[in-house]
Amino acid sequence: MQLIISSSKEKLADEFSHQFQELTESQENVHVALSGGSTPKVVFDYLAENFTEKIDWSKVFFYWGDERCVPPTNLESNYKMTLDHLLSKITIPAENIFRVQGENDPIEEAIRYGNVLDQHLPKANKIPQFDLVILGLGDDGHTASIFPDSIQLWDSSHNCEVATHPDSGQKRVTITGKLINNAKRITFLVTGKNKSEKVREIVKEEGDFRSYPASLVNPATADLIWFLDQEAASELTSD
Ligand code: 6PG
């Protein structure tokens, strides 16, 4: 596990963007699972502002690690957020974008999207393998859309499952621990003081960390990088 602590969200975005650029230069095709949330939004804006010409986006294939079961035009849609903040500002072939169809029936879409991942991703250990999975961390310790009250979804034998947001009841399609921990590299993008306690508990394996789905993230390759701003890392660095 590597921690990269930046003094601001913009510096975090810059650190991540340069690493992402290096990844795209290091291999032919790069299959990436994206996350929703506020920190990825900052990173997408930074990539759109500074890396449109520095990255050959035709080598990048975008998927989603989780998606809200809403139409792609809905403000809640992770796809819409990515389209508005990144995809509409870079030159990337439409066939490189594999959207979760949030407008579909959730159960049918979880099956369909799981098949999409089987068809388009390389395999390792006979399991679809992302080159990079980007994750956020919820205030409750969730990641992707696996929430503490349904942490058992992590161990599903399926590529994707239908999750339910514990507060809103909103249905989500999420990839499962089987795919997350099979990725070549996993990066958490976490900012804000409100995440500092969970970050400490998970990174230091303290308190109720075992009840947080994010604590189950442990890629077989051991290539796990936490991109944190100083606020989110404040309980790590206070010792
Ligand atoms: C989503 C995200 C979710 C997010 C966390 C953190 O669809 O909402 O995939 O897992 O990463 O909730 O979100 P913030 O960074 O906005 O706190």
Side-chain angles (χ1 to χ4, degrees):
M1 176 190 298
Q2 182 185 359
L3 304 180
I4 297 178
I5 300 172
S6 303
S7 56
S8 68
K9 293 183 180 181
E10 288 64 34
K11 289 266 193 325
L12 181 153
D14 185 65
E15 285 276 358
F16 174 84
S17 298
H18 279 96
Q19 271 212 14
F20 186 72
Q21 179 186 15
E22 286 168 18
L23 178 63
T24 61
E25 290 167 352
S26 69
Q27 58 189 69
E28 207 29 57
N29 293 326
V30 184
H31 298 273
V32 184
L34 298 172
S35 169
S38 58
T39 308
K41 189 184 297 185
V42 170
V43 169
F44 295 163
D45 284 337
Y46 193 87
L47 282 167
E49 182 68 31
N50 301 285
F51 282 78
T52 48
E53 305 307 324
K54 292 178 184 173
I55 291 174
D56 178 358
W57 296 97
S58 69
K59 297 170 63 176
V60 181
F61 296 79
F62 282 134
Y63 309 77
W64 275 264
D66 66 319
E67 180 58 281
R68 291 83 180 278
C69 292
V70 295
T73 52
N74 187 301
L75 290 177
E76 282 280 298
S77 166
N78 286 338
Y79 167 78
K80 175 173 171 44
M81 184 274 278
T82 313
L83 178 66
D84 293 347
H85 291 268
L86 179 61
L87 301 180
S88 58
K89 299 173 181 176
I90 58 175
T91 304
I92 185 167
E95 56 269 23
N96 288 29
I97 310 294
F98 297 88
R99 178 176 72 86
V100 177
Q101 294 172 5
E103 65 274 26
N104 289 349
D105 170 78
I107 293 173
E108 290 175 7
E109 181 56 18
I111 295 167
R112 187 198 72 85
Y113 202 66
N115 291 335
V116 166
L117 300 178
D118 272 331
Q119 289 158 10
H120 292 277
L121 288 176
K123 295 274 193 325
N125 316 306
K126 298 181 182 172
I127 299 168
Q129 184 178 53
F130 288 106
D131 294 293
L132 173 63
V133 171
I134 296 171
L135 295 173
L137 173 66
D139 295 353
D140 59 358
H142 81 258
T143 195
S145 279
I146 300 183
F147 298 94
D149 69 350
S150 52
I151 195 168
Q152 74 284 355
L153 292 178
W154 181 271
D155 294 317
S156 168
S157 61
H158 300 294
N159 291 342
C160 298
E161 286 281 359
V162 176
T164 304
H165 191 285
D167 300 327
S168 67
Q170 184 184 63
K171 294 297 181 187
R172 311 256 183 111
V173 172
T174 184
I175 60 175
T176 58
K178 182 176 96 168
L179 263 64
I180 292 172
N181 281 341
N182 198 46
K184 285 186 184 173
R185 170 179 291 175
I186 300 173
T187 62
F188 273 107
L189 303 180
V190 185
T191 55
K193 183 77 175 126
N194 59 316
K195 304 294 171 74
S196 60
E197 182 183 30
K198 289 290 185 298
V199 166
R200 171 180 55 77
E201 287 184 294
I202 293 168
V203 169
K204 294 194 169 187
E205 297 190 340
E206 294 173 351
D208 293 333
F209 77 97
R210 293 187 199 285
S211 67
Y212 309 144
S215 74
L216 299 175
V217 174
N218 181 22
T221 62
D223 189 348
L224 171 60
I225 305 172
W226 287 78
F227 287 88
L228 302 164
D229 69 352
Q230 276 173 347
E231 288 191 342
S234 57
E235 293 194 18
L236 293 176
T237 51
S238 55
D239 294 349

